[in-house]
Amino acid sequence: MASTNDLKNGMVLDLDGQLWQVIWFQHHKPGKGNTVVRSKLKHVLTGKVVDKTFNSDTKVDTATVDRRDMQYLYHDGDGFVFMDTTSYDQMTLSEAVVGEAKDYLLENTVATVAIHEGNPLYIDMPASVELEVTYTEPGLQGDRSTGGTKPATLETGKQVQVPLFITTGEKIKVDTRTGDYLSRVSN
């Protein structure tokens, strides 16, 4: 049990038997009345985001979530096989747990896997990853650092919009939260 005054970003709450992760919170003191805590909560399994307001000093159940650094090994058809980097135990995660992170996973990529009571909940990827462009149309003469974008296919199969000067075979940095091109990686 914890008080709503003790909320922190990333904390996982057990509300009515469902797990919710605190994305954002703010203590608010209206002109009249008691202080309240406004929060944005993300459902751990479905990803649904809701706004919830608690009275100040309300008791809420917290869930114990173990976050482990795990290395992605391979995809075996049934799921994604990860290895714990400290104990070397292997765990197969379903596609539902991996979610959109599969678009950024290469073999030997290290990601944080959140586990609650032995069940994997979700994967936290690094904020950005470096991936190679496997195919993109050539840019036209005169297209340089400013201007439009074009689609590019990455080595994981994900398609992103890149500037016109990017060519096939180059490595680029991609934001894993939004899927946006960030920069070219120099060798």
Side-chain angles (χ1 to χ4, degrees), residues 83-98:
M83 178 183 68
D84 191 322
T85 56
T86 54
S87 68
Y88 303 108
D89 292 337
Q90 290 187 7
M91 178 182 287
T92 301
L93 304 181
S94 69
E95 194 160 333
V97 171
V98 174

Side-chain angles (χ1 to χ4, degrees), residues 58-86:
T58 301
K59 299 291 184 202
V60 291
D61 287 329
T62 57
T64 306
V65 175
D66 183 23
R67 289 178 173 82
R68 299 182 194 164
D69 284 339
M70 298 186 100
Q71 182 179 10
Y72 171 63
L73 299 177
Y74 58 90
H75 184 267
D76 69 356
D78 295 335
F80 297 82
V81 179
F82 283 80
M83 178 183 68
D84 191 322
T85 56
T86 54

Side-chain angles (χ1 to χ4, degrees), residues 53-187:
T53 302
F54 299 97
N55 288 330
S56 181
D57 218 20
T58 301
K59 299 291 184 202
V60 291
D61 287 329
T62 57
T64 306
V65 175
D66 183 23
R67 289 178 173 82
R68 299 182 194 164
D69 284 339
M70 298 186 100
Q71 182 179 10
Y72 171 63
L73 299 177
Y74 58 90
H75 184 267
D76 69 356
D78 295 335
F80 297 82
V81 179
F82 283 80
M83 178 183 68
D84 191 322
T85 56
T86 54
S87 68
Y88 303 108
D89 292 337
Q90 290 187 7
M91 178 182 287
T92 301
L93 304 181
S94 69
E95 194 160 333
V97 171
V98 174
E100 292 183 16
K102 74 180 184 309
D103 294 333
Y104 308 104
L105 281 176
L106 290 176
E107 291 180 0
N108 301 322
T109 301
V110 175
T112 303
V113 178
I115 300 170
H116 174 65
E117 295 178 353
N119 298 322
L121 300 173
Y122 59 88
I123 291 181
D124 276 336
M125 291 293 293
S128 64
V129 292
E130 295 176 2
L131 297 170
E132 184 177 327
V133 175
T134 55
Y135 177 77
T136 187
E137 296 287 334
L140 301 173
Q141 182 61 28
D143 293 334
R144 294 296 174 254
S145 61
T146 60
T149 61
K150 62 182 178 179
T153 304
L154 304 176
E155 58 189 310
T156 60
K158 170 104 173 131
Q159 278 209 338
V160 296
Q161 291 292 319
V162 298
L164 296 171
F165 58 84
I166 297 294
T167 59
T168 300
E170 283 190 274
K171 278 195 173 271
I172 62 170
K173 189 177 277 193
V174 180
D175 188 327
T176 59
R177 297 163 296 198
T178 62
D180 293 339
Y181 164 86
L182 293 174
S183 66
R184 182 189 307 188
V185 176
S186 58
N187 294 335

